[in-house]
Amino acid sequence: MKKHSKRIMSVALAMLLLLVLASCGTPAGNTSTTPPASEAPPTDAATPTPGGTEETTPPAPAEGVKLTYIIDRDTDKAGYTAVMQAFTAKTGIQFEEELRPGGAEGETILKTRLATGDAPDFLWFNSGSLMSTLNPEENFVDLTSKPYMSLLQDSFKQTVTVNGKLFGIPGTTSTAGGWLYNKKVYAELGLSVPKTWAELLSNCDKIKAAGKTAVIGSYKDSWTAQLILLADYYNVQAQVPTFAADFDSNKAKYATTPQAMRAFEKLAEVYEKDYLNKDYLATTYDLALEMLVNGDGVQYPMLTFALSNIFTTYGQEAVDNIGVFAQPSDAAAINGLTVWMPSGWFACKESANLDAVDQFFDFYLSPEGQAVLSGAARGDGPSVVIGAVLPDNAYAGVKEMMQYFDAGTTAPALEFITSVKGPNSPQICVEAGTGMKTPAESAAEYDKDVEKQAKQLGLAGW
């Protein structure tokens, strides 16, 4: 890593400050070191065996080595911190954390640090198309030949690949876009998980006849209106495998691809058949979760991170009663889950500690590392590490999602494998889902929105 006098002076002052504060308690500021090995969680619990590999002998202790990393302030710390603690206990390698803002401000900070040679040893960032904005081939280590990369599912590899090279490992589990449903009400009404869109509509009719809301709408928070559109991507890819590449290069459109426009038709059908709660325009995400838990509303198109929200607010019994199924296509043979891939860790090329970073990445994906990760943080979806076993305390809905992962019937959400997503997607989906515009009009508007963004980004072919 390049050294600058200004940087050296900053580090020296920071070290002096840490020494002074050590006698007073936890250091202040945006950095923190890994807790002592004595505080690390036990690592002798039963562990999964991704890919059938055996746990390897830990490397020799590396006392004095400290790895620096940057992560955004909003990411939950429990999982990765536990893995770092366990790694420190085995190797002696320490960690120093620097926090950054999220969003565009945080991205600008990373781009500046990378461009000026002031990068950390490794960093946390989005997988998918956003990763490309950090110029991975110039700034990150190519991990393609690393043995531990064989432990990753192809669906995740796809989201950290640039020009055939792999650059990142997953930091958490996946999240999925699908339908949450109240299992008790399903049982009371004798309903089965639908495998086709027609079966879903039949369930909706029975729920409506029972005096309950069949599909919860929470369009007060307009981002929630997108889920029927976004969760339908598995069905698009299964029928038009080249859609993502063609869409990215301006060769395919929602308005001219019937399999893609079908999502806007589904949004319209839910509205036209009066399946939504009467106050769907005034209902927020939080109120929607309350309706689902209480059984007043029975089905909710949503991302599965809602399971953690339900657990935190309503407890274990409530979250155990919430199931998850994939958004159905029009054919039972096409039935799979659209997955939001986790953010990941990326090794910075100019690090002076690449061997230690490599050891850490290897440990992170190992059976032991994954056991520590899952024991410290409940995931909102299955792991993207091959063979990783769900923890005993995994949410019931996550366990239900495993059938799609086991069958290999998953696909990354479109935004993870293309360079563009319509920035006005929430508003467009609200219009489609409230009858303000026809499906064809909504699809055409979405295409125009994407084209505008692509031109602003200067993408080839637009």
Side-chain angles (χ1 to χ4, degrees):
M1 185 181 297
K2 297 177 183 177
K3 304 293 184 182
H4 302 287
S5 58
K6 187 175 181 179
R7 176 68 173 167
I8 293 173
M9 180 63 71
S10 298
V11 173
L13 290 173
M15 292 178 66
L16 179 60
L17 180 61
L18 290 175
L19 288 172
V20 172
L21 293 175
S23 61
C24 302
T26 303
N30 283 347
T31 59
S32 62
T33 55
T34 306
S38 61
E39 297 180 18
T43 59
D44 56 354
T47 59
T49 310
T53 60
E54 295 182 359
E55 189 173 328
T56 58
T57 302
E63 297 292 344
V65 175
K66 180 178 288 186
L67 296 178
T68 60
Y69 67 97
I70 297 176
I71 192 167
D72 64 278
R73 293 190 179 100
D74 297 327
T75 297
D76 184 76
K77 298 170 64 73
Y80 72 80
T81 299
V83 178
M84 289 178 179
Q85 291 172 345
F87 183 70
T88 297
K90 294 179 75 71
T91 66
I93 296 173
Q94 299 283 326
F95 295 89
E96 183 174 298
E97 178 179 89
E98 183 176 348
L99 300 177
R100 65 168 177 85
E105 182 183 357
E107 292 170 31
T108 299
I109 289 172
L110 289 181
K111 290 174 184 177
T112 301
R113 296 282 294 271
L114 290 166
T116 59
D118 191 27
D121 293 305
F122 64 103
L123 57 82
W124 174 280
F125 199 64
N126 302 65
S127 58
S129 58
L130 198 59
M131 176 197 67
S132 298
T133 66
L134 297 187
N135 197 354
E137 290 186 280
E138 180 177 335
N139 294 314
F140 298 149
V141 176
D142 178 4
L143 304 177
T144 307
S145 63
K146 301 296 183 182
Y148 50 76
M149 297 302 283
S150 66
L151 298 175
L152 301 181
Q153 293 180 0
D154 288 342
S155 56
F156 176 79
K157 288 181 180 180
Q158 185 178 6
T159 69
V160 291
T161 297
V162 175
N163 292 330
K165 301 173 184 176
L166 296 167
F167 290 100
I169 68 168
T172 60
T173 64
S174 65
T175 300
W179 288 62
L180 309 184
Y181 69 100
N182 187 300
K183 293 193 290 188
K184 288 182 180 178
V185 178
Y186 252 55
E188 290 169 3
L189 300 180
L191 305 179
S192 300
V193 169
K195 297 295 179 64
T196 67
W197 185 253
E199 290 175 358
L200 175 59
L201 297 186
S202 176
N203 282 357
C204 290
D205 287 334
K206 294 172 183 176
I207 294 168
K208 182 179 175 182
K212 295 179 178 293
T213 294
V215 181
I216 303 171
S218 52
Y219 295 173
K220 176 71 172 178
D221 291 322
S222 61
W223 65 267
T224 68
Q226 301 176 90
L227 265 297
I228 289 179
L229 169 66
L230 302 180
D232 208 50
Y233 181 67
Y234 174 87
N235 301 324
V236 178
Q237 179 172 293
Q239 299 172 83
V240 189
T242 63
F243 180 79
D246 292 341
F247 182 74
D248 208 30
S249 59
N250 198 22
K251 296 177 182 177
K253 303 289 185 183
Y254 268 82
T256 56
T257 306
Q259 298 87 344
M261 191 169 68
R262 187 74 182 96
F264 287 105
E265 294 171 348
K266 291 175 180 178
L267 264 167
E269 286 183 72
V270 166
Y271 168 76
E272 290 166 357
K273 293 180 179 294
D274 197 28
Y275 292 145
L276 295 168
N277 41 303
K278 299 300 182 184
D279 57 349
Y280 61 89
L281 286 173
T283 299
T284 63
Y285 167 74
D286 289 335
L287 288 174
L289 295 186
E290 182 179 357
M291 290 179 65
L292 181 67
V293 168
N294 292 341
D296 298 328
V298 184
Q299 301 170 130
Y300 187 30
M302 183 42 56
L303 290 163
T304 56
F305 62 55
L307 296 171
S308 288
N309 296 138
I310 292 171
F311 172 73
T312 300
T313 305
Y314 300 101
Q316 186 69 53
E317 183 177 352
V319 77
D320 283 346
N321 183 45
I322 304 302
V324 178
F325 61 81
Q327 179 157 304
S329 72
D330 292 315
I334 300 174
N335 189 246
L337 197 62
T338 302
V339 178
W340 273 246
M341 290 296 164
S343 294
W345 297 113
F346 300 86
C348 299
K349 270 187 178 179
E350 295 192 16
S351 168
N353 298 304
L354 287 179
D355 286 344
V357 174
D358 192 55
Q359 289 179 26
F360 174 61
F361 283 9
D362 187 31
F363 178 78
Y364 206 95
L365 297 182
S366 71
E368 183 177 5
Q370 288 294 295
V372 173
L373 181 68
S374 64
R378 295 195 188 201
D380 293 313
S383 173
V384 295
V385 178
I386 295 172
V389 177
L390 289 178
D392 292 338
N393 66 347
Y395 301 128
V398 172
K399 293 177 180 178
E400 195 169 359
M401 292 162 59
M402 278 304 301
Q403 60 183 305
Y404 305 104
F405 284 78
D406 290 341
T409 53
T410 65
L414 183 60
E415 62 196 80
F416 285 92
I417 49 179
T418 61
S419 304
V420 287
K421 175 191 173 185
N424 293 313
S425 174
Q427 292 74 25
I428 294 170
C429 288
V430 168
E431 292 173 348
T434 58
M436 295 175 63
K437 291 189 177 180
T438 67
E441 290 171 335
S442 298
E445 186 176 349
Y446 186 81
D447 288 334
K448 290 180 182 178
D449 195 38
V450 168
E451 181 178 2
K452 181 179 179 180
Q453 184 191 50
K455 288 180 176 178
Q456 290 174 340
L457 295 172
L459 299 180
W462 292 84

